[in-house]
Amino acid sequence: MTEPPGAAVSLAEAPPADDTSRPPAAQRVLPLRRPGRWIATAAVLVVVAQIVHGLATNPFYQWDRFRYWFLRPTILDGLLITLEVAALSAVLGLLGGVLLALARLSGSPVLRAVSWTYTWLFRSVPLIVVLIFLYNFSALYKTLSLGVPFGPAFVTFDESRLATDMAVAVVGLSLNEAAYASEVVRGGILSVDQGQHEAAAALGLPKGYQFRRIVLPQALRSITPNYVNQLIGLIKGTSLVFYVSLLDLFGSVQTMGSTYPGDIVPLLLVATVWYLILTSAVSVVQFYVERYFARGATRSLPPTPLQKARAGLAEARARLRREAAV
């Protein structure tokens, strides 16, 4: 007897269900193919290999003369002057930037106006113009004096004796750096949540203590990376002090290049490598300073370069094993 269409089938007559007691067949997860990434990687490696090959084999670079000049006393003396100018300008510029930032955030309209005008002026005028202007400052003011404003002077200084090449370089770079540092510091202070200020004020803490112990440590997380960028720019900006007769690293290279015109290219490479070393050292310090101030702000500290390298190698080995097993 046949069942009419659409009739229900009894459980006894239903086909047997799948046996769930058997484990499903193991399925292998295949990695996603990324041919574009491999092509781009191969192209970049080819370009890098060509650049390295050109640097190593092109006789125009004169690597033997590069080795000769790299540690010459003249170059090292200029390097020390560069470090001295950069260090003094960085400290004075940061101190000036903090004062300008606090003035910009103060309740006094006069302090805010003066701070804004200073920042606007020195961010608008090129650094080379500031240095040359200070170098010729004695033409405007032959003497400097301390005394009663608009009244008699108690102590008088000869400006030409005070304005040495080193002083002109440090003052010019510091004035320029303070304008940029003020905005970095002000941005870092404004990045602190307003609730922190209100909580500190509710506890009755003095303003100075609030700034040193509550606001500044939190602001430094934002200030550090931005100011290190300024510091790197300052190190490169020291090359301009050559125009005020101070023989820094770049000035020494220029002088030696004039004396030995056949060694201009290796001398420029010497300056390039030394600037790379200086900025790389600052970048390393920046990483560990940021890592220090990240405590309490992140669940785990950022990995160090060595830890990143180990993790990258382990990931590369695991990827190669997975692709070899396909």
Side-chain angles (χ1 to χ4, degrees):
M1 179 177 179
T2 59
E3 296 290 339
V9 180
S10 65
L11 294 177
E13 299 176 357
D18 293 339
D19 187 1
T20 56
S21 62
R22 293 183 303 171
Q27 296 182 355
R28 182 183 304 167
V29 178
L30 299 178
L32 181 63
R33 301 294 184 180
R34 301 181 183 273
R37 177 188 296 178
W38 289 103
I39 294 173
T41 301
V44 170
L45 290 176
V46 169
V47 172
V48 171
Q50 287 181 328
I51 294 174
V52 173
H53 180 266
L55 289 174
T57 59
N58 193 335
F60 186 73
Y61 292 111
Q62 305 178 58
W63 292 109
D64 56 334
R65 301 300 295 170
F66 171 86
R67 290 189 294 270
Y68 171 80
W69 286 111
F70 190 70
L71 296 176
R72 297 297 296 174
T74 303
I75 301 298
L76 296 181
D77 290 342
L79 177 64
L80 290 177
I81 292 176
T82 294
L83 290 173
E84 184 177 358
V85 171
L88 291 174
S89 301
V91 173
L92 296 177
L94 181 58
L95 292 177
V98 171
L99 295 177
L100 288 170
L102 294 178
R104 184 79 178 274
L105 296 172
S106 70
S108 171
V110 175
L111 293 179
R112 291 200 305 269
V114 170
S115 175
W116 182 89
T117 303
Y118 179 97
T119 304
W120 164 76
L121 177 64
F122 280 92
R123 289 202 304 176
S124 303
V125 179
L127 177 56
I128 185 63
V129 176
V130 175
L131 291 173
I132 295 177
F133 184 85
L134 291 175
Y135 189 68
N136 297 279
F137 195 72
S138 59
L140 298 174
Y141 300 96
K142 297 185 181 299
T143 59
L144 300 176
S145 59
L146 295 176
V148 179
F150 310 105
F154 300 143
V155 182
T156 302
F157 305 96
D158 186 358
E159 198 275 338
S160 60
R161 293 184 178 181
L162 293 177
T164 61
D165 297 339
M166 176 65 74
V168 169
V170 171
V171 171
L173 289 171
S174 299
L175 292 175
N176 184 79
E177 188 68 14
Y180 291 93
S182 67
E183 290 299 284
V184 172
V185 174
R186 187 173 70 92
I189 294 175
L190 292 177
S191 68
V192 179
D193 188 79
Q194 187 62 29
Q196 300 290 320
H197 299 270
E198 296 172 354
L203 292 174
L205 300 176
K207 288 288 186 181
Y209 186 86
Q210 292 180 29
F211 180 75
R212 293 192 311 270
R213 305 294 295 178
I214 297 175
V215 177
L216 186 59
Q218 299 180 67
L220 283 174
R221 289 199 301 269
S222 174
I223 292 173
T224 299
N226 297 318
Y227 186 70
V228 170
N229 287 334
Q230 286 298 122
L231 185 57
I232 291 175
L234 174 64
I235 293 174
K236 296 185 293 185
T238 57
S239 59
L240 295 176
V241 302
F242 168 69
Y243 295 99
V244 293
S245 303
L246 187 63
L247 292 181
D248 66 322
L249 175 60
F250 181 74
S252 301
V253 166
Q254 284 286 85
T255 303
M256 292 296 100
S258 300
T259 306
Y260 303 92
D263 290 349
I264 291 178
V265 172
L267 282 168
L268 289 176
L269 288 174
V270 166
T272 301
V273 172
W274 274 120
Y275 281 121
L276 286 173
I277 292 173
L278 294 179
T279 55
S280 300
V282 172
S283 299
V284 171
V285 174
Q286 172 192 359
F287 171 80
Y288 284 100
V289 172
E290 289 182 3
R291 195 170 186 266
Y292 175 81
F293 285 112
R295 298 181 305 171
T298 57
R299 295 184 180 274
S300 59
L301 291 178
T304 64
L306 183 58
Q307 292 172 342
K308 288 182 179 179
R310 290 175 177 173
L313 289 175
E315 183 180 356
R317 292 196 194 99
R319 187 185 300 113
L320 290 175
R321 286 196 216 96
R322 288 196 302 267
E323 294 181 355
V326 176

